[in-house]
Amino acid sequence: AELDGGHEPGDLFLLATGVAPNSELLAEAGARLGESGAVRVDQRAQTSLDQVWAAGDGVEVEHRLTGRSTYLPLATTAARLGRLAAQNALGRHQRFGGSLGNVAVKVFGLEVASVGLSEAAAVAAGHEVKVGRFPFAALGKAAILGQTDGFVNRRRAGPDHQAAKVQRLGGLGHDHAARPGVEGIRLAG
């Protein structure tokens, strides 16, 4: 592969380009957009337009660690907010508690999990960030299973070091895939 004018050898390359919100229809109707260009919704998934609710990859949601409106295009968040928006459009008064931005995926046998604030988001929120990296090789279970390739990154931010990001890369199986979410929630208070 050609990268920045240089050549990188490899058998397989994964390119992740990200997503952008498609909010043109609601913007043209007068809905308020957030900094990301996604539609701003309240905790009931209602837009700034009367009787119009929105959910999915085109909206911003509240991040549970910052309390700020954030663009988190994740399937679990979209599904939960979609159900809530439908209930509220039918007259209920349900509230969305926000998202920690947790995701877990397995690509080509490699498991990746993440929850919480990125280092850049924590710094942008004015927090000092401390980073710890823990290799799987230090875990007894990983050694027993012969799965020592991988690591866990933990970031703690803020004066009380409660706002956090936990990332896991490796193949220890589903029992470890859920741990970043559990730890991120615990660290958040």
Side-chain angles (χ1 to χ4, degrees):
E2 295 292 327
L3 300 171
D4 297 326
H7 181 76
E8 282 292 322
D11 296 324
L12 178 67
F13 294 90
L14 177 65
L15 175 65
T17 60
V19 297
N22 182 355
S23 51
E24 291 177 26
L25 179 66
L26 283 171
E28 289 173 7
R32 190 170 132 219
L33 302 182
E35 290 180 25
S36 68
V39 176
R40 294 278 310 252
V41 295
D42 63 15
Q43 289 183 327
R44 295 184 57 239
Q46 188 163 7
T47 69
S48 58
L49 302 172
D50 189 41
Q51 299 295 310
V52 177
W53 290 263
D57 291 350
V59 303
E60 289 185 352
V61 297
E62 181 181 314
H63 197 291
R64 290 180 63 179
L65 295 179
T66 66
R68 296 180 181 166
S69 187
T70 307
Y71 183 57
L72 296 169
L74 301 170
T76 53
T77 300
R80 285 180 47 218
L81 193 61
R83 284 190 298 274
L84 184 135
Q87 291 173 349
N88 288 336
L90 293 170
R92 304 222 23 217
H93 298 283
Q94 303 295 315
R95 295 196 175 274
F96 182 66
S99 176
L100 286 169
N102 51 318
V103 63
V105 65
K106 188 171 185 176
V107 180
F108 305 118
L110 182 65
E111 294 182 22
V112 181
S114 179
V115 65
L117 296 174
S118 68
E119 187 170 353
V123 170
H127 299 298
E128 174 187 347
V129 177
K130 294 186 178 188
V131 179
R133 183 177 181 122
F134 305 92
F136 282 177
L139 299 173
K141 182 174 182 176
I144 291 168
L145 295 174
Q147 297 178 357
T148 57
D149 292 334
F151 60 89
V152 174
N153 271 348
R154 292 189 183 139
R155 293 183 185 93
R156 293 186 178 183
D160 55 4
H161 300 291
Q162 294 300 303
K165 171 83 170 184
V166 180
Q167 296 170 303
R168 187 184 72 76
L169 177 70
L172 275 181
H174 300 298
D175 59 331
H176 281 70
R179 281 196 178 166
V182 171
E183 293 209 25
I185 292 168
R186 184 181 58 76
L187 290 172

